Amino acid sequence: MFADDLCSLRTGTDLADTCRLVQRDIDAVVKSSHDNGIILNSDKTNLLIIHSPYLRPTGSPPFMYTHSFSCLHNDFVCGNCMPIKEVDCATYLGVKVDNNFSWSHHVDYICDKLRLFLGKSYHLRFKVPTIEPILGYALDSYGLTFKTHIDKLDVLQIRFLILLVSNKTKANCKVKRMAQHWSTTVIVPTRLMSAGKFEVPKVNNYFGDRTLKKRLPYLLNSSPEDIHREQEKNVFKRKLKKYFIANLA
């Protein structure tokens, strides 16, 4: 008998108290397993503490154990039990969960599999009508990660498309891409400049929304029209400083 992918979850603000609750859960699972003839593999049992990257836990977590049968039924007197290993990333149901929920490990894992699959697709592209990669699995979880991680997957997706689509489709896409390029580089900035507005870049997550690249043009566009239309640099800086100071007060 086997029990795979068993997980105990606890949340709290006190690390030591939360770990004690997890240890209580582990003891109950281990005892029930032993009583029913199932042995937990302590080597594959890991401790993952998930927290904000800006708020690290204070102190080290107390040691936790998957107690043996003799230890459980001897009031935990046995001292031969090995502590559970603390890790920064754990694989659960095929998804690599890291301690900050950044999903960087899982994205790298997907990229490695896609690169391997890409080499095989080169020889199978004329025999296999459709190829469904592993991008969709757990996408609702890791899909909200940082744009820098998603860009890695975009690059591999493009390589698959270049490999699989016909030359006629490539030519059509090339023409549309050139048209879109000219539309973006010529028409859009001219329209924005004539409106006296700065272009605000699009972002995919909360981190990108807080960057200067996004916030600075957004703040400048919120200033009065006579300020962001000012051509003289020194006058522009003086007006902008005066406006911000007045609004902060």
Side-chain angles (χ1 to χ4, degrees):
M1 298 176 66
F2 298 93
D4 295 333
D5 296 320
L6 187 61
C7 180
S8 174
L9 297 174
R10 289 284 186 174
T11 60
T13 56
D14 187 285
L15 180 60
D17 184 60
T18 306
C19 287
R20 281 193 292 270
L21 294 175
V22 174
Q23 181 65 68
R24 187 178 67 182
D25 295 340
I26 295 173
D27 294 341
V29 170
V30 173
K31 186 177 186 304
S32 176
S33 300
H34 280 295
D35 292 344
N36 289 277
I38 305 174
I39 300 176
L40 243 65
N41 191 338
S42 57
D43 294 333
K44 294 184 178 180
T45 304
N46 295 319
L47 169 65
L48 178 65
I49 301 176
I50 302 173
H51 58 85
S52 168
Y54 307 105
L55 184 62
R56 299 186 179 277
T58 57
S60 301
F63 289 116
M64 293 193 290
Y65 304 88
T66 53
H67 295 286
S68 62
F69 179 83
S70 58
C71 184
L72 282 171
H73 294 274
N74 197 25
D75 295 329
F76 304 102
V77 175
C78 176
N80 298 326
C81 302
M82 296 298 294
I84 297 174
K85 182 181 178 182
E86 183 183 355
V87 296
D88 294 331
C89 178
T91 303
Y92 185 66
L93 297 175
V95 179
K96 292 188 176 296
V97 184
D98 59 272
N99 58 351
N100 297 142
F101 272 154
S102 68
W103 306 105
S104 59
H105 294 80
H106 187 67
V107 171
D108 291 339
Y109 169 71
I110 293 177
C111 288
D112 291 339
K113 295 192 71 173
L114 288 178
R115 291 189 188 99
L116 180 63
F117 194 55
L118 184 64
K120 297 178 180 179
S121 300
Y122 178 79
H123 302 284
L124 298 174
R125 65 187 187 278
F126 298 115
K127 298 181 180 180
V128 180
T130 57
I131 297 177
E132 183 177 355
I134 59 172
L135 290 170
Y137 182 68
L139 183 61
D140 52 347
S141 296
Y142 79 86
L144 296 177
T145 184
F146 300 108
K147 186 177 182 299
T148 51
H149 299 328
I150 298 298
D151 287 344
K152 299 178 184 178
L153 300 175
D154 287 342
V155 171
L156 288 170
Q157 276 187 307
I158 293 173
R159 291 179 62 183
F160 271 102
L161 290 174
I162 293 174
L163 180 65
L164 297 175
V165 302
S166 63
N167 292 330
K168 182 179 179 181
T169 304
K170 292 178 185 177
N172 292 336
C173 292
K174 185 176 181 180
V175 172
K176 291 180 180 179
R177 188 165 60 248
M178 291 178 63
Q180 184 181 12
H181 170 74
W182 285 107
S183 174
T184 303
T185 56
V186 177
I187 299 176
V188 175
T190 304
R191 184 168 64 248
L192 290 173
M193 291 179 64
S194 63
K197 296 288 186 179
F198 296 91
E199 185 176 2
V200 180
K202 294 182 179 180
V203 295
N204 294 330
N205 50 44
Y206 180 67
F207 176 80
D209 185 67
R210 294 163 56 196
T211 59
L212 286 177
K213 184 179 180 181
K214 167 67 183 298
R215 301 311 301 176
L216 189 58
Y218 179 80
L219 289 173
L220 290 174
N221 289 340
S222 65
S223 62
E225 185 176 348
D226 65 303
I227 294 180
H228 56 251
R229 284 185 176 274
E230 180 60 53
Q231 300 297 322
E232 293 292 333
K233 180 180 178 180
N234 292 332
V235 178
F236 170 77
K237 291 170 63 177
R238 185 167 61 251
K239 287 183 176 180
L240 188 64
K241 181 179 179 181
K242 184 178 179 180
Y243 170 76
F244 283 147
I245 292 176
N247 280 272
L248 287 174

